Amino acid sequence: MSLEAYSRTKDGGTLLSPNFRVREFACRDGSDPVFIDSALVDLLQRIRDHFGQPVTITSGYRTARHNAAVGGAAFSQHCYGRAADIRVKEVAVDTLADYAETLLPGTGGIGRYPEKKGRACGWVHLDVRAAKARWTG
Ligand SMILES: [Zn+2]
């Protein structure tokens, strides 16, 4: 894996893989630059290819300030460009997480955020940290 820095303004439309552009990973506070780990892009592309459906990144890279504003964990993997919260069209949270499990055996982070009261739709957090982490939020 390697961490790359991009400019949201200059590189926003740049394709990182067949289906993912730089801007999809940009911090939602609108800031530049955007840090993205290439291993994360590879992981998401494999998921896109497997399900054959659009993958929506609801949160990718986060600045420390934005991470704090959205209540992210201290030292969140999002702040290192290694994490994305995603949904896949017509794919349930557990189905998505179970497939991600096959791509991250003994490594990386997988957080399941199922639909529940007050949460209109679920998502899965994925990250490419070296250690293994699993949780349900
Ligand atoms: Zn996350």
Side-chain angles (χ1 to χ4, degrees):
M1 60 177 82
S2 76
L3 185 64
E4 306 288 343
Y6 299 91
S7 163
R8 168 200 207 102
T9 311
K10 286 198 288 237
D11 311 320
T14 299
L15 277 169
L16 299 165
S17 72
N19 297 100
F20 294 95
R21 292 179 195 274
V22 169
R23 71 167 71 93
E24 298 175 73
F25 293 84
C27 186
R28 298 307 187 246
D29 68 1
S31 62
D32 238 339
V34 182
F35 292 98
I36 309 170
D37 195 305
S38 59
L40 178 65
V41 178
D42 292 345
L43 177 68
L44 298 190
Q45 185 64 48
R46 290 178 73 179
I47 289 169
R48 171 68 177 78
D49 292 344
H50 175 77
F51 291 107
Q53 291 284 4
V55 172
T56 301
I57 300 173
T58 57
S59 182
Y61 170 65
R62 294 178 192 161
T63 61
R65 179 190 291 241
H66 182 67
N67 185 60
V70 299
F75 308 110
S76 165
Q77 295 293 312
H78 287 276
C79 299
Y80 298 95
R82 291 197 286 251
D85 295 340
I86 65 168
R87 287 198 288 263
V88 181
K89 193 180 176 196
E90 294 169 9
V91 176
V93 165
D94 280 335
T95 306
L96 172 53
D98 288 348
Y99 180 65
E101 190 69 56
T102 70
L103 301 177
L104 295 169
T107 186
I110 302 175
R112 298 170 191 241
Y113 293 84
E115 265 181 59
K116 65 179 186 185
K117 197 158 185 265
R119 183 186 286 166
C121 50
W123 71 90
V124 176
H125 164 107
L126 296 175
D127 68 66
V128 293
R129 75 181 81 183
K132 178 182 178 179
R134 301 291 184 266
W135 68 92
T136 298

